[in-house]
Amino acid sequence: MSYAICAEARSGSTLLCLSLIQLGIAGDPKEYFGGHVLGRPFQKESFEDFIARTLAYSKTSNGVSGIKLFMSHFDAIRRSSPRFGEIKDEQILKKLDLDRIILLQREDVLRQSISLYLASQTQVWLLAKDKNKEGVTRKTATPAYNRRKIHRAMRSITLNYERWQQCLANSKTSYLKVSYEELTTNYELTMKRILDYLDLPIPTAHSFETMPTLKQADELTEHFVRRYQNPSKVDKIFDVLDDFYVSVIRQKLKLTVLKSLELFKLRLDYNPG
């Protein structure tokens, strides 16, 4: 049995994956399709062979395979080889040939975006509980508030959530939807619901009394939430201008650059004989 956790950054995917990994019977769900893995084109194997090898690598001894997917991974797959340049999201999902899909989303996209911004600034992506220590490493510096980066993170996350919905609908794939909020507030019940969906038992003596990660949101997070929710008139104007830039101008510039590169390539390939 194979499954994927389909999510976006700062949605609780690490918490969920660690919780499943600790069971020892639910595969090894990690980011096997990120840009750091697919940085080079497939030269020695087909994409299908890479999928088969990855799913085999992510298996536990009972034959269950788990992976974690972000929409950025689909983009990385398309960049990895010219063969995949035009492949659609749902076609990639179909190629993975998964038995189960868990769609993990965060209802509060603003806090998710702020969490993403803070993590990118501090490079503290995880506060894991350490059985040998009382404390954990905290943020070493206080990031400055940056509305533009938070706003763009919100826009990107929202669009990717829409892509997931469209991808699953177009591929006619059934799935279990889980929210970050229910996972963190009703951890034990949510984990039991997920295992029931995966048709996996709870190992003897295993307990879901505590989560394997610590909450990172603090007063700084709440301060940024309040600032974002109370924009000035200038902030509102810049939000509109930034949306226009990202959705229109930057896309046109990207297309212009791609066309220029294609023309340049054609000139390099031209051989009059």
Side-chain angles (χ1 to χ4, degrees):
M1 192 273 287
S2 62
Y3 71 92
I5 297 169
C6 301
E8 292 302 317
R10 316 310 287 172
S11 63
S13 61
T14 299
L15 166 60
L16 179 52
C17 287
L18 286 176
S19 299
L20 291 168
I21 290 171
Q22 287 181 352
L23 297 172
I25 61 166
D28 190 24
K30 294 176 181 175
E31 295 179 45
Y32 297 103
F33 295 89
H36 59 291
V37 179
L38 301 173
R40 297 179 180 178
F42 300 107
Q43 297 175 349
K44 297 183 179 180
E45 63 183 348
S46 67
F47 183 52
E48 289 75 14
D49 289 339
F50 177 78
I51 292 171
R53 180 167 60 83
T54 299
L55 292 177
Y57 182 77
S58 66
K59 281 183 181 179
T60 39
S61 58
N62 60 340
V64 175
S65 174
I67 59 175
K68 176 162 70 168
L69 293 172
F70 291 164
M71 265 301 158
S72 60
H73 297 168
F74 285 14
D75 296 333
I77 289 170
R78 276 186 279 269
R79 290 193 301 269
S80 67
S81 172
R83 290 178 294 156
F84 306 126
E86 300 300 322
I87 193 170
K88 297 179 180 179
D89 293 337
E90 56 267 26
Q91 292 174 317
I92 296 174
L93 191 64
K94 284 288 187 182
K95 282 181 175 290
L96 293 173
D97 194 26
L98 300 160
D99 299 306
R100 303 280 195 282
I101 295 288
I102 299 170
L103 180 62
L104 178 63
Q105 293 190 347
R106 193 165 177 170
E107 302 297 336
D108 193 334
V109 178
L110 173 55
R111 281 184 170 79
Q112 181 178 357
S113 304
I114 291 172
S115 177
L116 178 58
Y117 168 67
L118 290 173
S120 66
Q121 295 300 301
T122 62
Q123 290 303 300
V124 178
W125 296 90
L126 170 67
L127 292 180
K129 290 185 177 177
D130 189 333
K131 296 179 180 179
N132 301 315
K133 296 180 182 179
E134 291 296 327
V136 292
T137 302
R138 296 288 178 178
K139 304 182 184 73
T140 56
T142 301
Y145 177 77
N146 189 313
R147 184 179 181 85
R148 180 177 62 84
K149 289 185 177 181
I150 294 171
H151 186 75
R152 287 191 178 183
M154 282 188 67
R155 188 177 190 279
S156 175
I157 291 168
T158 300
L159 288 174
N160 283 339
Y161 279 160
E162 291 173 357
R163 280 178 66 185
W164 274 123
Q165 294 287 352
Q166 194 65 42
C167 172
L168 293 167
N170 290 345
S171 62
K172 298 179 181 178
T173 302
S174 60
Y175 58 92
L176 174 69
K177 186 174 181 179
V178 178
S179 73
Y180 165 88
E181 286 77 7
E182 63 183 323
L183 178 63
T184 54
T185 57
N186 296 294
Y187 177 61
E188 183 175 5
L189 289 176
T190 304
M191 288 304 303
K192 288 180 178 179
R193 183 161 68 94
I194 290 169
L195 289 177
D196 184 61
Y197 172 72
L198 296 176
D199 197 22
L200 293 173
I202 300 174
T204 304
H206 187 86
S207 171
F208 290 118
E209 290 182 3
T210 59
M211 294 183 284
T213 60
L214 297 173
K215 185 178 179 180
Q216 289 183 255
D218 53 20
E219 180 51 39
L220 182 63
T221 302
E222 297 308 310
H223 173 63
F224 282 5
V225 168
R226 290 191 293 271
R227 284 197 62 176
Y228 190 90
Q229 290 177 334
N230 294 280
S232 65
K233 291 182 179 180
V234 174
D235 287 334
K236 293 179 181 179
I237 293 171
F238 273 97
D239 285 349
V240 173
L241 291 175
D242 193 62
D243 286 340
F244 179 75
Y245 167 74
V246 171
S247 61
V248 180
I249 297 177
R250 195 166 72 174
Q251 287 300 315
K252 287 186 176 181
L253 288 172
K254 182 179 178 180
L255 289 173
T256 301
V257 170
L258 289 174
K259 287 180 180 178
S260 299
L261 289 174
E262 187 63 29
L263 287 172
F264 182 65
K265 182 178 181 298
L266 288 173
R267 288 175 182 174
L268 289 178
D269 292 341
Y270 175 63
N271 185 354

